[in-house]
Amino acid sequence: MPSVQLSAGPIDFEDTGGDGPVLVLLHGVPMDGRLWRRAMPHLDGFRVIRPTLPLGGHRQPMRPDADLSQQGVASILGDFLDALDLHEVTLVLNDWGGGQFLINADRTDRIARLALVACEAFDNYPPKAARPLALLSKVPPLFTAALQLFRTEAFRQASSGYGGMSVDKDYHLYDDLVHGWFAPALTDKAIRRDFMKFAGGAPGRDELLELAEGQRKFTKPVLVVWADQDTMMPAEHGPRLAEHYPDARLEIVKDSSTLVPIDQPELLAGLLRAFVVEHSAGAAVDPVGEEARDQ
């Protein structure tokens, strides 16, 4: 897997290459680009880039002095877009919503449009289910002890946590994914240090709401995709985000929880394709997609 060296440390990424419109697909906590693997076959015609951000599922530790707060990771994302010299990016967030903090930092010149897919917003950093881990991050031995629970399938699949983030219970590899996402922090002390820094790095509620208010200045197109069975992101946040951004529209996806790329990958890919085509004059991407034409 290629890697780019930033001032905060190395960022691994996957890049399909090509001349198509650029999709940068982001992941949640402590995930990686594998979140999107079911959607990838439906995204032909795009240049798809999947970075692994330092949210606890990364495999190369950051520098010890790296800022891994919510806004710090957003800055790392901005540095990543700069390092790859990407332009006219469609930035797609799922679960982690911190990419929106690039708006507050006035670093959206490389972003042409934004897709918010069942992600953190407003004062929901982190979601309620993740707040105990955020509190434990202040006491490293307790954080480390809590992580050990994720070694057991029963805990990983608890409906109040990661088990509730996907409704596709026929997707038997889901637990393998969750186990793999937590493995770096369970086995590498430096990764666990990074995870703790991020877990405890969210601003307070008042500051979050103030930052959200500042995000209204983003006037480029925004697609809000919300899931009808989400256990992490409040149902009212989807419509609220669609009203929050000046040029936004809302799509509700049925039979899905937070991880829409797993539960409804083909539908989500279609929404992203239509969104890019609609807002890209002369976009060199098939509005239907090769796979759909073959059916």
Side-chain angles (χ1 to χ4, degrees), residues 2-254:
S3 179
V4 61
Q5 187 69 39
L6 306 178
S7 61
I11 297 294
D12 295 331
F13 65 97
E14 296 174 272
D15 185 352
T16 62
D19 298 325
V22 178
L23 293 180
V24 174
L25 306 180
L26 303 181
H27 57 81
V29 183
M31 306 173 193
D32 58 25
R34 288 175 293 175
L35 169 66
W36 291 92
R37 64 187 184 184
R38 296 187 84 188
M40 290 299 293
H42 309 292
L43 293 172
D44 55 284
F46 291 98
R47 178 185 175 187
V48 181
I49 300 172
R50 292 180 287 168
T52 298
L53 296 175
L55 304 182
H58 55 301
R59 285 168 169 75
Q60 295 195 71
M62 298 291 101
R63 290 171 54 93
D65 61 349
D67 179 0
L68 300 182
S69 65
Q70 287 282 351
Q71 290 151 291
V73 175
S75 180
I76 290 171
L77 171 60
D79 291 346
F80 174 79
L81 301 180
D82 289 346
L84 269 62
D85 194 24
L86 300 175
H87 300 275
E88 294 294 307
V89 167
T90 300
L91 190 66
V92 187
L93 312 184
N94 179 226
D95 185 34
W96 180 63
Q100 294 172 89
F101 296 127
L102 285 174
I103 301 168
N104 304 98
D106 293 323
R107 297 189 66 180
T108 59
D109 54 308
R110 297 183 181 274
I111 301 170
R113 58 199 71 83
L114 184 62
L116 305 176
V117 182
C119 66
E120 296 165 318
F122 304 112
D123 59 347
N124 192 40
Y125 293 84
K128 185 176 180 180
R131 289 171 194 168
L133 201 59
L135 290 173
L136 292 175
S137 70
K138 309 300 182 183
V139 187
L142 294 181
F143 186 91
T144 299
L147 282 185
Q148 305 310 309
L149 295 171
F150 288 95
R151 295 184 183 275
T152 67
E153 181 178 350
F155 190 82
R156 291 193 301 268
Q157 291 304 308
S159 60
S160 59
Y162 283 81
M165 294 181 74
S166 171
V167 301
D168 189 355
K169 299 310 177 187
D170 291 332
Y171 184 41
H172 65 281
L173 295 179
Y174 177 61
D175 186 63
D176 290 339
L177 273 177
V178 178
H179 185 265
W181 287 334
F182 276 91
L186 284 168
T187 57
D188 188 317
K189 184 177 180 180
I191 299 294
R192 190 160 57 250
R193 173 206 66 202
D194 291 348
F195 193 5
M196 280 190 287
K197 288 172 67 176
F198 172 77
R205 182 176 184 273
D206 289 346
E207 184 179 353
L208 283 169
L209 291 175
E210 183 178 346
L211 288 164
E213 191 63 26
Q215 290 158 10
R216 290 181 182 270
K217 65 184 178 182
F218 187 79
T219 59
K220 299 173 186 178
V222 176
L223 173 66
V224 179
V225 179
W226 230 244
D228 71 338
Q229 298 183 41
D230 201 333
T231 61
M232 294 286 172
M233 312 304 162
E236 64 270 18
H237 278 192
R240 185 175 166 188
L241 278 170
E243 294 180 358
H244 188 71
Y245 286 101
D247 183 7
R249 80 163 190 267
L250 173 67
E251 297 281 353
I252 301 295
V253 175
K254 295 182 178 180

Side-chain angles (χ1 to χ4, degrees), residues 231-281:
T231 61
M232 294 286 172
M233 312 304 162
E236 64 270 18
H237 278 192
R240 185 175 166 188
L241 278 170
E243 294 180 358
H244 188 71
Y245 286 101
D247 183 7
R249 80 163 190 267
L250 173 67
E251 297 281 353
I252 301 295
V253 175
K254 295 182 178 180
D255 301 320
S256 182
S257 189
T258 314
L259 302 184
V260 185
I262 289 176
D263 288 341
Q264 295 292 345
E266 185 172 3
L267 175 58
L268 177 56
L271 290 173
L272 292 173
R273 185 180 300 275
F275 178 54
V276 173
V277 170
E278 178 184 356
H279 294 286
S280 300

